[in-house]
């Protein structure tokens, strides 16, 4: 037990600086992986982060609706994304010289990751340039699939899986994680002119766009958030039922993400859905504890199975 605990400390020291941990929960999920899988996940993370950075400029997409400077900025970002798509094609051909895609090429070859996964992720990021409202949850679910479920599908190729049903697990968990982010970041997204909460749901509970943009916290908003949270919980439940018994240990990194984000969802509930105040987070010690618990369980399983 003492040796295992020390190994955990060394892994965190090597792979998880406080600055990195503050940026992404991703690190907590793959810091305990075997070295080759950890390096592969690092390459995937760098791709995801860089793709986000290509459109990460401070422009409001809501007001004014007709703004030629805004349109020019959006077009510039779309050009970047098209260039990035071309670089992905080069990556798969083994000809890209980009510092992120060169190591990713080796990951793609080893784990046989479909090219369409990376292209779909780029499409998802581009959606934020052209769409800042969603009429129905079905529309929003397509966005969640493109920016989150796709990452899950990439990662299970790296971790390995035996059953096709595991792909359904990755898709459902991705939707659950992205919905948790959306619910937590209502205030932050509204400040950028984006409202991800489905308009049909907002009408159902008497919440207007002006209410969201103004940070209006009332019973109508609470009821809307309760509804969306119940839907999100359902996706967590559905995902867990699709994960096979033995794959619970090979995919322990995915379960770490599940546990951290589910805890975040629970904290939103405990805050009575007041996401307009201080940003809700899961503490770093709690994240490390969750990561260690799932990693330790996988170690015990492997030792008993050997």
């Amino acid at each position: 037990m003492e040796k295992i605990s020390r190994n955990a400390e060394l892994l965190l020291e090597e792979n998880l600086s406080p600055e990195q941990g503050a940026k992404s929960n991703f690190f907590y999920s793959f810091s305990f992986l075997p070295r080759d899988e950890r390096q592969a996940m690092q390459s995937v993370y760098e791709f995801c982060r860089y793709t986000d950075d290509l459109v990460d400029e401070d422009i409001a997409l809501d007001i004014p609706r007709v703004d030629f400077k805004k349109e020019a900025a959006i077009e510039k970002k779309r050009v970047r994304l098209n260039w990035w798509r071309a670089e992905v094609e080069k990556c798969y051909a083994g000809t890209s010289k980009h510092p992120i895609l060169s190591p990713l090429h080796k990951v793609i070859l080893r784990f046989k990751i479909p090219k369409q996964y990376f292209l779909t992720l780029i499409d998802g990021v581009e959606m934020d340039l052209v769409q800042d409202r969603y009429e129905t949850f079905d529309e929003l679910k397509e966005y969640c699939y493109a920016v989150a479920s796709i990452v899950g599908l990439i990662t299970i190729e790296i971790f390995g899986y035996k059953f096709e049903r595991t792909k359904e697990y990755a898709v459902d968990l991705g939707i659950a994680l992205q919905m948790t982010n959306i619910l937590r970041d209502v205030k932050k997204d509204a400040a950028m002119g984006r409202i991800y909460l489905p308009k049909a749901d907002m009408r159902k509970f008497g919440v207007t766009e002006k209410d969201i943009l103004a940070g209006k916290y009332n019973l109508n908003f609470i009821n809307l958030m309760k509804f969306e949270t119940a839907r999100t919980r359902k996706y967590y439940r559905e995902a867990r039922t699709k994960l096979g018994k033995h794959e619970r240990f090979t995919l322990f990194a995915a379960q770490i993400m599940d546990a951290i984000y589910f805890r975040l969802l629970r904290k939103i509930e405990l805050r009575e859905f007041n996401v307009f105040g201080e940003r809700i987070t899961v503490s770093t010690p709690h994240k490390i504890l969750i990561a260690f618990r799932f990693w330790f369980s996988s170690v015990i399983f492997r030792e008993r199975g050997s």
Side-chain angles (χ1 to χ4, degrees):
M1 178 67 179
E2 183 178 344
K3 181 180 179 181
I4 291 174
S5 298
R6 180 54 186 155
N7 286 342
E9 291 174 9
L10 290 172
L11 283 170
L12 286 171
E13 288 171 5
E14 178 182 354
N15 299 289
L16 184 60
S17 70
E19 293 78 12
Q20 289 172 325
K23 287 183 179 179
S24 174
N25 292 321
F26 218 37
F27 282 96
Y28 294 92
S29 68
F30 65 70
S31 288
F32 289 99
L33 288 168
R35 183 178 296 275
D36 56 343
E37 292 182 11
R38 193 165 69 244
Q39 291 175 343
M41 287 297 297
Q42 179 68 35
S43 291
V44 170
Y45 173 78
E46 292 296 336
F47 177 89
C48 295
R49 186 174 65 177
Y50 187 79
T51 304
D52 278 337
D53 288 346
L54 289 175
V55 298
D56 189 19
E57 289 182 2
D58 295 329
I59 62 167
L61 299 180
D62 60 324
I63 298 173
R65 287 294 177 182
V66 178
D67 183 340
F68 293 108
K69 290 183 179 179
K70 179 194 73 175
E71 290 175 1
I74 290 175
E75 184 57 30
K76 179 180 179 182
K77 294 176 183 181
R78 297 185 83 166
V79 169
R80 289 180 194 164
L81 291 175
N82 285 332
W83 163 78
W84 193 227
R85 288 185 180 95
E87 285 298 315
V88 169
E89 296 287 350
K90 291 180 183 179
C91 176
Y92 272 81
T95 58
S96 176
K97 304 298 183 183
H98 194 280
I100 289 175
L101 296 182
S102 293
L104 185 64
H105 176 68
K106 298 175 183 177
V107 174
I108 288 166
L109 287 180
R110 177 174 179 184
F111 296 103
K112 298 179 174 58
I113 303 173
K115 177 172 58 179
Q116 189 56 48
Y117 287 172
F118 293 100
L119 295 177
T120 298
L121 180 62
I122 296 172
D123 291 343
V125 170
E126 187 173 23
M127 288 175 71
D128 274 333
L129 296 181
V130 297
Q131 187 168 3
D132 54 22
R133 303 290 190 275
Y134 293 85
E135 180 62 32
T136 66
F137 177 70
D138 284 341
E139 287 184 10
L140 180 60
K141 189 165 68 170
E142 290 181 14
Y143 170 76
C144 293
Y145 174 85
V147 299
S149 296
I150 278 293
V151 178
L153 290 170
I154 292 171
T155 57
I156 64 172
E157 294 294 336
I158 294 172
F159 300 152
Y161 62 95
K162 295 180 180 179
F163 310 106
E164 281 297 305
R165 191 172 172 82
T166 305
K167 290 184 179 180
E168 298 177 30
Y169 160 77
V171 170
D172 285 346
L173 182 59
I175 293 171
L177 300 182
Q178 188 63 27
M179 282 300 298
T180 302
N181 270 336
I182 287 170
L183 296 177
R184 189 267 304 273
D185 290 338
V186 169
K187 175 184 176 181
K188 176 184 174 184
D189 293 330
M192 295 186 292
R194 296 171 182 158
I195 299 176
Y196 291 100
L197 300 175
K199 293 170 71 174
D201 296 345
M202 291 169 59
R203 288 193 297 270
K204 178 179 178 179
F205 292 98
V207 177
T208 67
E209 289 189 12
K210 287 184 178 180
D211 293 338
I212 299 293
L213 295 172
K216 190 174 182 179
Y217 176 70
N218 57 18
L219 185 58
N220 288 353
F221 179 77
I222 291 172
N223 288 334
L224 170 63
M225 291 289 283
K226 282 182 179 178
F227 177 79
E228 302 297 349
T229 297
R231 171 185 275 152
T232 304
R233 278 179 169 270
K234 179 183 176 184
Y235 275 96
Y236 280 108
R237 289 195 302 270
E238 288 291 322
R240 291 165 186 169
T241 62
K242 294 170 182 173
L243 186 60
K245 180 179 178 181
H246 292 288
E247 291 190 338
R248 294 179 188 277
F249 300 99
T250 56
L251 296 177
F252 74 87
Q255 291 188 89
I256 291 171
M257 291 291 285
D258 178 326
I260 290 175
Y261 276 86
F262 192 77
R263 174 59 182 165
L264 179 58
L265 186 66
R266 181 61 182 143
K267 292 191 76 169
I268 292 171
E269 292 176 308
L270 292 172
R271 187 77 69 85
E272 297 184 335
F273 307 102
N274 188 0
V275 291
F276 295 117
E278 183 181 353
R279 196 165 188 253
I280 301 171
T281 61
V282 177
S283 69
T284 296
H286 199 157
K287 291 177 184 178
I288 293 174
L289 198 60
I290 289 171
F292 177 76
R293 176 164 59 89
F294 281 98
W295 173 76
F296 181 69
S297 296
S298 72
V299 170
I300 295 300
F301 175 80
R302 287 197 299 270
E303 289 181 351
R304 288 177 177 176
S306 59

